[in-house]
Amino acid sequence: MTDFFAPCPRGLEKILESDLDAMGAKDVKATEGGVAFSGDWTLCYRANLESRIASRILWRVKETTFRAEQDIYKAVHELSWHRWFDVSSTIKVSTTAIRCELKSVDFVTLLVKDAVCDRFREHCGERPSVDTFAPDMRINVFIEEDRLMLYLDTSGEALFKRGIRLHTNIAPIRENLAAGILRIAGWKPGIPLLDPMCGSGTFLIEAAQIALNIMPGISRRFAFEKLLNFNQSLWQKLKDGAIAAQLPVQALDIYGSDLYGDAMKTASRNLQETGLLDCVSLKQANILEISAPRDSGIMVANLPYGERMGELEELEELYPRLGDALKKKFSGWTAYLFTADKAILKMMRLSPSKRTPLFNGAIECRLLEYRIVSGSNRPSK
Ligand SMILES: C[S@@+](CC[C@H](N)C(=O)[O-])C[C@H]1O[C@@H](n2cnc3c(N)ncnc32)[C@H](O)[C@@H]1O
C-alpha cells in the first residue's frame, strides 16, 4: 500500500472522496483542499487517468515532525531519491507552510533541493538539474506546525489540464471546477444541458466527455511515466481499456451559446480539436433572448463580471433583467450560476434555492441554484 494525497478545489472534497472510494481506494479521508488515500499503483494510474475533480495525485514519500530547519534537510537527505527517479530527470521543489514558525519558506525550498541533490551526488556523482518551468519531477513540501510531509507529484502538469484544449477566452473556468459544478448540479448524461455563457466551452467539453465516457487524462502524459517503478504494460492496459469503453461521437442534448462571436469561435475550435463538435449545438445569442431547447433541463453558467472593456455597464443592465428572462423562458429548468462577485447577486432580483461555497484557487465563489418556475421566485415573507 502506498499513501497518496489528491488536492482539489476547495468545496469539492466530498465528491472526490466518493470517487476515490468507488475506485477502490483505502483509508479515504477528505480534508480541507483534498483527499488522503492509500492504494496500489494501479489505483494511482487510474486516479490520474479518470479523476475529473483532483488537481493532482501526490505520492507521500515521507511524513515526520521537525524542530529546526536542519531536521528538514536530514529527513529529505535520508530518502532514497535515486531509487525513485533518474538523475537525468529535472526537478522542481515547491513548499507550502501553514501555522509554522519557519522564517523563510524559500529557504526550506532551497534546503530540500540541496538535500535531494546531495543525496544523488553521493550516490552517483551527479545531481539532477532544476527546471522551474516544465520539470520532470515535482517535489512538494507541505509543512503544518511541526509536521513535515514530502510528496512526489505523480501527475506532472495539473490534472485540470486535460491535454487537448489549446484556446481560451478571457476567463475560462478550470476543468475540474466545471466538472465539480456539473456534479453538484446533479447533471447526468441524457439530461438536457445548456451553458448560455459558454466562453471557450469548458462545461460543454467536460459534459460531452462524461457522456461519451472519455477519460479526462486519455490524451496527456503523466509524471509517473518517468518514475523508475513505472509499469508500462499496466499503464498501456488501462489506457487500452479506457479507449475501448468510449462511446462513439454522437449528437447529445448539450447546448452552448454566448453573446460574442469570438467566444463562439473559440468554443467551436476547442470542440473541434477535442473531436466533440458534432456532440454539441452551438449558437451565438444573448442570454436574455435565448429560448429553452427542451421543456426541462440544467443550465450552468460561469457569470461574466466585467473583464471586457465597457462590459461592466452592460452587466449592470443584464443582471437585473436576467431573473425575469429565465422565469419567462426557462420554467421547468434548474439553473446553476457560478460567481465570485457578491454585487452580481444583489443585482439579480432572484433568490437562489441553494448556495454552495466553492473556491476558484484562493477566490471564494458561490454556486447558486435557481429552481425556475414561472412567476415569482422570491421567498414568501
Ligand atoms: C466568465 S466567462 C465564461 C467562461 C466559460 N465558462 C469558459 O470556461 O470559457 C463569461 C462569458 O459570458 C459571455 N457573456 C457576457 N454577456 C453575455 C450575454 N448577455 N449573453 C450571453 N453571454 C454573455 C462572455 O462573452 C463570456 O464568454
Side-chain angles (χ1 to χ4, degrees):
M1 280 286 175
T2 306
D3 292 324
F4 297 101
F5 184 78
C8 67
R10 274 196 283 160
L12 298 179
E13 296 90 342
K14 284 284 162 199
I15 294 176
L16 178 57
E17 186 181 51
S18 77
D19 286 357
L20 290 166
D21 202 44
M23 277 184 216
K26 300 277 177 280
D27 315 313
V28 187
K29 191 166 173 262
T31 57
E32 206 182 317
V35 179
F37 64 102
S38 56
D40 57 15
W41 284 90
T42 311
L43 176 71
C44 171
Y45 295 178
R46 278 192 60 198
N48 272 294
L49 176 66
E50 296 175 22
S51 179
R52 295 199 166 269
I53 306 294
S55 302
R56 299 174 176 280
I57 306 296
L58 307 175
W59 167 21
R60 199 173 70 210
V61 294
K62 178 89 184 172
E63 179 173 9
T64 186
T65 52
F66 70 98
R67 281 175 159 187
E69 280 141 351
Q70 279 318 305
D71 300 334
I72 299 179
Y73 179 92
K74 214 167 142 252
V76 178
H77 186 259
E78 259 168 28
L79 298 172
S80 306
W81 298 94
H82 54 277
R83 295 214 334 259
W84 297 330
F85 59 88
D86 193 80
V87 69
S88 61
S89 294
T90 54
I91 61 167
K92 176 183 177 182
V93 179
S94 314
T95 306
T96 307
I98 52 172
R99 292 191 292 274
C100 83
E101 284 168 14
L102 289 168
K103 280 186 219 86
S104 160
V105 169
D106 289 344
F107 182 67
V108 172
T109 300
L110 268 180
L111 206 66
V112 171
K113 189 264 295 167
D114 284 347
V116 174
C117 289
D118 289 351
R119 182 69 206 244
F120 264 102
R121 215 185 270 113
E122 285 154 28
H123 176 75
C124 62
E126 282 177 75
R127 51 155 283 185
S129 305
V130 169
D131 179 349
T132 52
F133 183 65
D136 298 317
M137 286 297 148
R138 290 168 163 87
I139 298 165
N140 287 11
V141 184
F142 185 76
I143 293 171
E144 186 177 11
E145 294 178 20
D146 63 345
R147 273 195 328 141
L148 166 73
M149 269 149 311
L150 289 168
Y151 298 97
L152 261 179
D153 182 345
T154 71
S155 306
E157 281 228 89
L159 294 179
F160 53 79
K161 297 190 179 156
R162 309 295 201 212
I164 311 174
R165 202 179 76 182
L166 303 172
H167 314 284
T168 56
N169 66 344
I170 301 169
I173 190 166
R174 279 191 181 165
E175 285 77 352
N176 56 346
L177 195 50
I181 289 172
L182 290 173
R183 292 282 291 277
I184 294 171
W187 179 79
K188 297 231 161 46
I191 300 177
L193 181 80
L194 165 69
D195 179 355
M197 298 177 140
C198 71
S200 58
T202 316
F203 281 114
L204 310 175
I205 293 171
E206 283 300 306
Q209 285 197 340
I210 294 167
L212 300 182
N213 205 24
I214 298 171
M215 292 302 152
I218 198 68
S219 305
R220 53 163 281 168
R221 308 298 301 256
F222 296 93
F224 64 70
E225 296 174 60
K226 296 210 167 120
L227 287 173
L228 293 177
N229 70 0
F230 176 50
N231 186 335
Q232 169 74 49
S233 64
L234 169 64
W235 176 228
Q236 196 56 51
K237 215 168 111 196
L238 289 173
K239 282 207 298 188
D240 291 346
I243 290 169
Q246 288 178 7
L247 301 175
V249 170
Q250 56 199 277
L252 300 166
D253 239 351
I254 300 177
Y255 306 84
S257 52
D258 198 287
L259 180 60
Y260 297 102
D262 57 346
M264 296 315 299
K265 267 192 214 136
T266 311
S268 168
R269 271 174 86 180
N270 287 328
L271 282 157
Q272 174 90 48
E273 263 157 50
T274 43
L276 299 168
L277 192 56
D278 292 341
C279 303
V280 175
S281 309
L282 290 177
K283 188 172 164 186
Q284 186 176 347
N286 190 330
I287 191 171
L288 296 176
E289 284 153 23
I290 46 167
S291 312
R294 300 275 179 207
D295 288 345
S296 66
I298 289 177
M299 175 191 287
V300 282
N302 170 203
L303 298 176
Y305 46 89
E307 317 95 297
R308 291 170 191 258
M309 290 281 283
E311 203 181 29
L312 212 54
E313 297 74 37
E314 282 173 34
L315 294 180
E316 280 168 5
E317 296 236 322
L318 168 74
Y319 288 121
R321 294 169 62 199
L322 185 55
D324 274 344
L326 294 183
K327 277 187 274 176
K328 266 196 205 114
K329 295 186 180 158
F330 281 87
S331 76
W333 281 64
T334 309
Y336 291 85
L337 308 182
F338 181 70
T339 182
D341 191 342
K342 292 199 181 85
I344 290 180
L345 254 178
K346 289 210 185 91
M347 286 190 255
M348 278 278 286
R349 296 186 192 159
L350 195 63
S351 310
S353 38
K354 201 161 112 195
R355 302 164 192 238
T356 309
L358 276 179
F359 282 77
N360 186 3
I363 306 166
E364 186 176 351
C365 305
R366 287 277 180 280
L367 181 65
L368 309 164
E369 178 196 83
Y370 298 93
R371 293 189 178 279
I372 304 165
V373 284
S374 43
S376 173
N377 194 37
R378 281 168 184 272
S380 47
K381 293 232 168 90

